[in-house]
Amino acid sequence: MNPVSMESSKMPQNVQAFLAGKRIAVAGVSRKGDTAASHILRKLLKSGYEAIPVNPHAQELEGQPCYPSLEAIPGGVHAVMIATNPDVSLSVVEECAVLGIRHVWFHRSFGDGSISVEALGACEAFGIDAIIGGCPLMFLEPVDIVHKCIRWFGQRNGNVPA
């Protein structure tokens, strides 16, 4: 069962599948706490998820144990939010493939975000369900007005799951 109650009729099926698991890793969480990944981690935690930060340069972030890689997370995870530099996203996808993680979400609000052509190709090759664009802040209630507007605009131009 989901750790939060979501109105599934308004949520795209791939977003529902990503959020269906209780344990979600967030790759790219900053030690400064000012990145999209840090905001996503906080929202997932507040929404009842066991959100796990991944950063090879930190041992704890946002009061949570932080791990240098997905492989280092005890017990594994259901899904991975990729909010890293696009140059790193391929290695995260490859690690997901090795660990059997089948759900990834590439963060993007404006520009390319965390998306790389190579990482998307790897998702396709490994059978990983990839969400391209947007982030959970656009779907986990309560959604703030800024993320509602970005979701509305992004869904209309194809940059956010609809």
Side-chain angles (χ1 to χ4, degrees):
M1 183 160 165
N2 293 353
V4 295
S5 174
M6 297 176 280
E7 191 175 328
S8 61
S9 64
K10 293 183 180 180
M11 194 174 297
Q13 189 173 7
N14 57 351
V15 172
Q16 288 180 47
F18 181 92
L19 295 172
K22 183 179 178 182
R23 300 188 83 205
I24 299 174
V26 182
V29 179
S30 167
R31 290 176 286 172
K32 294 179 182 178
D34 60 352
T35 62
S38 299
H39 294 291
I40 293 166
L41 177 72
R42 287 192 288 270
K43 180 69 172 190
L44 288 168
L45 289 167
K46 192 174 186 177
S47 297
Y49 287 87
E50 186 177 348
I52 303 161
V54 177
N55 180 323
H57 306 293
Q59 292 184 3
E60 182 180 298
L61 291 170
E62 301 293 332
Q64 304 298 311
C66 183
Y67 298 92
S69 65
L70 298 173
E71 182 181 31
I73 299 172
V77 295
H78 166 76
V80 178
M81 181 74 215
I82 301 175
T84 63
N85 184 296
D87 296 341
V88 178
S89 59
L90 175 60
S91 64
V92 175
V93 169
E94 290 172 338
E95 193 174 5
C96 288
V98 168
L99 297 171
I101 299 167
R102 295 290 169 237
H103 300 280
V104 300
W105 192 332
F106 293 93
H107 175 266
R108 175 177 63 195
S109 52
F110 302 102
D112 291 335
S114 299
I115 302 163
S116 77
V117 172
E118 297 82 10
L120 293 177
C123 285
E124 187 174 331
F126 295 128
I128 295 173
D129 179 30
I131 299 174
I132 303 163
C135 74
L137 276 74
M138 296 177 176
F139 297 96
L140 290 173
E141 296 293 342
V143 178
D144 62 79
I145 190 67
V146 172
H147 282 91
K148 282 181 182 180
C149 291
I150 295 171
R151 180 183 68 202
W152 181 88
F153 182 74
Q155 286 178 327
R156 274 134 192 90
N157 68 20
N159 289 334
V160 171

